[in-house]
Amino acid sequence: MEILWFLIAMCMLAAVIGPLALRGRGGIRLVAPGSPDAADPANYDFVRQEELDIRMPGADQDLEDVLDVVQSTQGWQAAAQLLAGTAKDSEARWQRVQAFAGAASLELARRPGEGGRWLRSWRAEAPKDAGGAAVHAEFLVQQAWRTSTPGTDDFRIILEEARTVCGEAALLAPGDPIPYIVELAVARGLGDTEPEFDLLWAKVMDRAPAHMGAHLAALSYRSEKWHGSRASADTFATTAAARAPQGSLLAALPLFAVYEHLPEVNLVQGFYRSAVVSTAMEGALFAVHAARQGDPMLAHVRHLLILFLVRSERWSEAMNELQHVDGHVGALPWTHDQDPAAEYAVYRALAVAGYEANGGSPAKLLG
């Protein structure tokens, strides 16, 4: 099956879902797009690739409704009202700030000079609105990574501005952890020293000690590719998981640590069935099953599980996670790709093909 990962690019070029097929119990082979032998994700009521929502990881109907209003009218008031009514220390508020910032950033990318006008109006007309300041800070962070290269002057200038706006947002909403969580990404990009980062992290922990989004941001700083190491990231993740309150998704953090340190190309047979990966996956699956219904971070964990479950050929479990999140792809690991919807669709198609190759069918899954 290792050769399958070298075929993923081919799958994307051939309309993603068409060429994957199955014949021979337990095996997957490629067929021509449109072949009657092809495994078709549409048979499972999955959303078409072009209709996948890249703005958020999972369903949030209030957020989706407000985003539609904001983007159609270019008015910011509905966004301000939604954030004002969302608990300061909640994962939902963090995700909504990210979604509004991401929507403005994508608008600007598609319509330079014009897109995201509603965010500029929000800041100009309500400069004391804490929600607007938090969205503005996160917008700048996303712009830095989207439009410039880490380490360049442009990158640093944008992040320095983001840090200033984080400070404004913190003054406008004492006790709100969101400005400090946004600043975690700023600290990573600007290369803050470990003592500097620890001081910032302490401010986050004082306000939201079990915040999953904050832990994910801190994990990136401590990873080998940024300012830490594999060992420091693993220690951070396992310690947080061990201290996680009952029902917390922090128990899934070690799987994110594994993902942060995946090799670019893995040629080791059985890597995804190794003890380290299997233990992290089981922790994440336990966290998903124990989490409270409606936890906004559930979708984040499920999306990452899909990647690992598919790569370890645990097809039925991958299909179960797909049923929960399909339709939204604004989460790791897909957002690391330039086309998150296409990347997600590749793994979805692989899951369908593997599931059917081992006796699965739409009737069994949906029945």
Side-chain angles (χ1 to χ4, degrees), residues 62-86:
D62 289 340
L63 175 58
E64 291 180 47
D65 291 344
V66 169
L67 272 172
D68 288 341
V69 170
V70 168
Q71 295 189 300
S72 63
T73 67
Q74 290 296 300
W76 54 269
Q77 289 80 4
Q81 184 176 8
L82 180 65
L83 287 182
T86 307

Side-chain angles (χ1 to χ4, degrees), residues 31-310:
V31 300
S35 165
D37 288 337
D40 189 355
N43 293 335
Y44 296 85
D45 297 327
F46 290 143
V47 175
R48 293 171 62 88
Q49 179 182 328
E50 60 269 26
E51 297 173 355
L52 292 168
D53 192 331
I54 65 173
R55 300 172 301 177
M56 58 192 76
D60 181 341
Q61 195 58 55
D62 289 340
L63 175 58
E64 291 180 47
D65 291 344
V66 169
L67 272 172
D68 288 341
V69 170
V70 168
Q71 295 189 300
S72 63
T73 67
Q74 290 296 300
W76 54 269
Q77 289 80 4
Q81 184 176 8
L82 180 65
L83 287 182
T86 307
K88 287 182 179 180
D89 62 349
S90 67
E91 304 281 358
R93 181 177 171 85
W94 169 230
Q95 290 198 28
R96 288 170 175 179
V97 166
Q98 286 186 303
F100 285 131
S105 184
L106 287 171
E107 277 187 39
L108 187 59
R110 291 166 182 162
R111 294 181 289 120
E114 178 65 20
R117 187 178 68 250
W118 55 270
L119 179 54
R120 294 192 292 275
S121 298
W122 189 355
R123 292 292 284 142
E125 297 169 18
K128 300 299 183 182
D129 185 88
V135 172
H136 183 199
E138 174 64 19
F139 166 81
L140 290 169
V141 169
Q142 295 191 28
Q143 280 294 102
W145 262 274
R146 182 170 283 124
T147 65
S148 54
T149 302
T152 63
D153 288 343
D154 286 348
F155 183 78
R156 294 191 63 84
I157 288 169
I158 298 172
L159 285 187
E160 291 287 4
E161 183 181 355
R163 173 163 274 165
T164 298
V165 179
C166 284
E168 295 173 5
L171 290 174
L172 291 170
D176 185 351
I178 302 301
Y180 299 104
I181 297 174
V182 174
E183 195 174 349
L184 293 173
V186 175
R188 172 166 57 95
L190 292 178
D192 283 12
T193 64
E194 188 169 350
E196 290 171 334
F197 188 87
D198 287 343
L199 285 174
L200 177 60
W201 181 241
K203 294 177 182 178
V204 175
M205 290 296 94
D206 284 345
R207 293 160 174 81
H211 198 288
M212 179 70 170
H215 279 80
L216 291 176
L219 179 65
S220 290
Y221 175 92
R222 299 179 190 281
S223 71
E224 190 174 65
K225 71 181 74 171
W226 286 100
H227 310 293
S229 65
R230 185 187 301 266
S232 64
D234 287 345
T235 298
F236 175 77
T238 54
T239 300
R243 294 175 178 173
Q246 185 174 2
S248 168
L249 285 164
L250 287 174
L253 204 61
L255 187 64
F256 286 87
V258 172
Y259 176 72
E260 285 278 355
H261 297 91
L262 286 180
E264 292 294 329
V265 177
N266 173 52
L267 300 177
V268 180
Q269 184 73 23
F271 172 78
Y272 289 93
R273 295 179 181 177
S274 66
V276 171
V277 175
S278 295
T279 299
M281 288 175 62
E282 294 307 322
L285 287 165
F286 170 80
V288 164
H289 295 149
R292 69 182 187 280
Q293 291 299 314
D295 189 319
M297 294 303 294
L298 259 173
H300 284 273
V301 180
R302 291 189 190 278
H303 278 292
L304 192 64
L305 271 169
I306 289 167
L307 179 142
F308 279 94
L309 290 168
V310 168

